[in-house]
């Protein structure tokens, strides 16, 4: 049985999950490989204080140790610069110390897994003001690459004209208010380690890993101190 720790810190949600071949965590998204989940969808960032506590807690309550892990997956971004740094640094340290592989899971692909309908989904993370980080998915297929989008009334118009869409993420509210199209589904939500589990397990089985020493988060845009 493979055991993969999943770490999600790209938003205000500090989230960890255990992915297993024998998953059984009851969830609404149809994720089959999740064994357990701990998360805190608070409004602020305190990942530096909480992440290691959550990792220790999820291992302890499942009667395993870090040495039982076969690999660790981290949400690679885009997202919060500080949050991503904390998550990646933690996972790098653990993978190096335990000599186990590290997987990087696209934050927006994981977020799109919260779409439980057959609609095309647009995963969208708030990037302040009227900008978002977004990608478009049709089922498991990514049909538009990740990009930084300045929202206006024409944003994603060719997809909106083709039918009903599902918008998911932290940038949803301001876009819904901008376009005022009631036929779509709008789900304001943070990324979660829960929807990383199946993606992480797939990567592990394919040996789709990253270099622990040289991996860097996918920031999409350069960090600017405010």
């Amino acid at each position: 049985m493979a055991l993969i720790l999943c770490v999600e810190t790209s938003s205000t949600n500090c989230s960890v999950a255990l992915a297993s071949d024998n998953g059984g965590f009851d969830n609404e998204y149809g994720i089959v490989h999740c064994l357990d989940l701990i998360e805190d969808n608070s409004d602020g960032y305190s990942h530096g204080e909480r992440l290691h506590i959550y990792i220790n807690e999820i291992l302890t309550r499942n009667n395993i140790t870090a040495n039982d892990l076969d690999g660790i997956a981290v949400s690679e971004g885009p997202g919060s610069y500080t949050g991503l740094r904390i998550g990646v640094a933690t996972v790098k340290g653990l993978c190096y110390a335990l000599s186990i592989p590290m997987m990087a899971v696209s934050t927006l692909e994981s977020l799109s897994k919260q779409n439980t309908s057959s609609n095309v989904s647009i995963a969208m993370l708030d990037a302040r003001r009227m900008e978002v980080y977004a990608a478009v998915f049709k089922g498991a297929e990514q049909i538009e690459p990740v990009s930084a989008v300045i929202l206006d009334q024409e944003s994603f118009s060719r997809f909106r004209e083709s039918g009903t869409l599902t918008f998911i993420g932290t940038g949803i509210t301001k876009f819904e208010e901008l376009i005022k199209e009631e036929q779509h589904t709008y789900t304001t939500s943070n990324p979660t380690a829960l929807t990383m589990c199946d993606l992480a397990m797939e990567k592990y089985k394919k040996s789709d890993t990253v270099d622990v020493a040289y991996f860097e988060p996918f920031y999409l845009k350069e960090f600017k101190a405010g």
Side-chain angles (χ1 to χ4, degrees):
M1 179 181 74
L3 277 174
I4 310 296
L5 177 68
C6 298
V7 174
E8 168 55 74
T9 57
S10 66
S11 71
T12 55
N13 183 23
C14 184
S15 177
V16 298
L18 275 177
S20 164
D21 287 335
N22 295 326
F25 186 82
D26 186 23
N27 67 89
E28 60 186 305
Y29 306 126
I31 304 300
V32 298
H33 287 114
C34 185
L35 182 65
D36 200 1
L37 172 72
I38 297 176
E39 57 186 354
D40 182 1
N41 272 292
S42 60
D43 293 332
Y45 288 92
S46 55
H47 300 355
E49 293 83 6
R50 293 181 301 191
L51 181 56
H52 286 279
I53 294 173
Y54 289 172
I55 291 172
N56 287 332
E57 182 179 343
I58 202 168
L59 295 177
T60 299
R61 75 186 194 187
N62 286 278
N63 299 311
I64 61 175
T65 70
N67 290 318
D68 295 315
L69 295 173
D70 295 291
I72 306 178
V74 68
S75 182
E76 70 175 353
S80 158
Y81 181 90
T82 302
L84 290 171
R85 294 296 292 181
I86 291 171
V88 168
T90 298
V91 171
K92 279 188 170 188
L94 288 170
C95 287
Y96 180 80
L98 297 166
S99 297
I100 56 177
M102 175 178 175
M103 283 74 68
V105 174
S106 164
T107 303
L108 291 175
E109 182 179 6
S110 174
L111 184 59
S112 75
K113 298 301 181 184
Q114 295 184 36
N115 176 18
T116 57
S117 74
S118 59
N119 297 344
V120 169
S121 60
I122 299 180
M124 184 185 297
L125 292 174
D126 192 3
R128 299 183 179 180
R129 298 185 177 88
M130 291 306 290
E131 187 173 25
V132 295
Y133 302 138
V136 184
F137 299 85
K138 185 174 184 180
E141 180 186 3
Q142 184 170 330
I143 57 177
E144 285 288 317
V146 178
S147 61
V149 178
I150 304 295
L151 295 175
D152 59 33
Q153 292 181 334
E154 298 303 315
S155 297
F156 313 108
S157 58
R158 69 184 181 92
F159 297 104
R160 287 156 48 198
E161 291 167 358
S162 64
T164 302
L165 307 178
T166 297
F167 292 95
I168 302 171
T170 57
I172 299 308
T173 301
K174 59 188 179 184
F175 189 54
E176 182 180 8
E177 292 173 349
L178 179 67
I179 63 172
K180 295 181 171 61
E181 295 176 349
E182 297 181 358
Q183 70 269 31
H184 306 303
T185 299
Y186 303 91
T187 303
T188 301
S189 178
N190 281 315
T192 171
L194 168 61
T195 53
M196 289 178 62
C197 289
D198 290 355
L199 296 170
M201 186 61 68
E202 181 180 357
K203 284 179 175 288
Y204 174 76
K205 290 180 176 180
K206 292 180 178 179
S207 297
D208 184 1
T209 62
V210 297
D211 190 304
V212 173
Y214 295 104
F215 175 76
E216 289 292 330
F218 177 41
Y219 296 121
L220 189 59
K221 297 178 68 175
E222 292 184 3
F223 173 72
K224 295 181 180 181

